[in-house]
Amino acid sequence: MMVLNYQPILNARCVDILQKTLSQFTRDKMIKYIGVNDHDIDLFEGQFEVPNGMAYNSYVILADKIAVMDSVEANFGEQWLSNLEAELSQAGGRKPDYLIVQHMEPDHSANIANFMEIYKDTTVVSSAKAFKMMKQFFGTDFSDRQI
């Protein structure tokens, strides 16, 4: 799983290979890819060329409890939430118990507030620093819904 934290700097071909590998690994498991692809971006973090675009990774873990790993870049919220809803529907219409926020870079966190507005019973799992940043970014740190 560690490599996924560094995936945004990979080119689209590497992303496709990684996603296929992950797909084979998770075929009979309960980890589903719900991320989105950005084929219009030309620079990652305004510095690194990504001629084939990049992927904004997010996963849903479907087990006794349901956990969503990260959100995606701001412009892709609707598609990401649609991807999530499709997987939740296939899982019997269950709702997420947890949103796990690994860090607050916008390509991983821009849709946290949108997600939390829809899934009002979800608990956010993150670091104290990330909660402080949520307060700055979204006007709330979800203090009544955090671990």
Side-chain angles (χ1 to χ4, degrees):
M1 257 336 194
M2 279 284 230
V3 71
L4 298 178
N5 290 333
Y6 301 102
Q7 186 174 342
I9 64 172
L10 301 176
N11 69 37
R13 178 71 181 129
C14 291
V15 170
D16 287 343
I17 291 168
L18 188 55
Q19 287 174 343
K20 287 176 184 170
T21 302
L22 184 61
S23 174
Q24 291 170 356
F25 175 76
T26 61
R27 183 177 346 199
D28 299 322
K29 308 292 182 202
M30 295 181 282
I31 302 172
K32 304 292 185 177
Y33 178 76
I34 57 169
V36 296
N37 296 318
D38 183 350
H39 297 289
D40 295 325
I41 192 168
D42 59 350
L43 293 175
F44 171 67
E45 294 188 348
Q47 301 180 61
F48 306 103
E49 289 185 13
V50 285
N52 298 314
M54 60 187 290
Y56 302 117
N57 295 311
S58 180
Y59 298 86
V60 61
I61 302 167
L62 304 163
D64 292 337
K65 298 283 186 172
I66 294 179
V68 175
M69 301 288 295
D70 288 330
S71 80
V72 298
E73 201 272 336
N75 295 329
F76 295 90
E78 190 174 308
Q79 183 182 352
W80 172 66
L81 290 167
S82 177
N83 293 348
L84 172 59
E85 192 55 42
E87 292 298 339
L88 294 173
S89 292
Q90 289 183 1
R94 296 168 56 201
K95 302 296 180 202
D97 297 288
Y98 302 104
L99 173 62
I100 301 170
V101 178
Q102 297 186 69
H103 62 277
M104 289 297 294
E105 289 185 28
D107 59 324
H108 293 264
S109 65
N111 278 284
I112 292 171
N114 294 333
F115 174 94
M116 296 300 284
E117 182 64 29
I118 294 168
Y119 300 106
K120 296 185 183 294
D121 295 326
T122 299
T123 300
V124 183
V125 180
S126 199
S127 66
K129 183 70 165 179
F131 285 119
K132 184 176 180 178
M133 293 175 78
M134 284 179 216
K135 179 86 170 174
Q136 294 168 341
F137 292 172
F138 309 123
T140 181
D141 60 1
F142 307 102
S143 60
D144 58 330
R145 300 161 56 187
Q146 66 174 247
I147 293 180

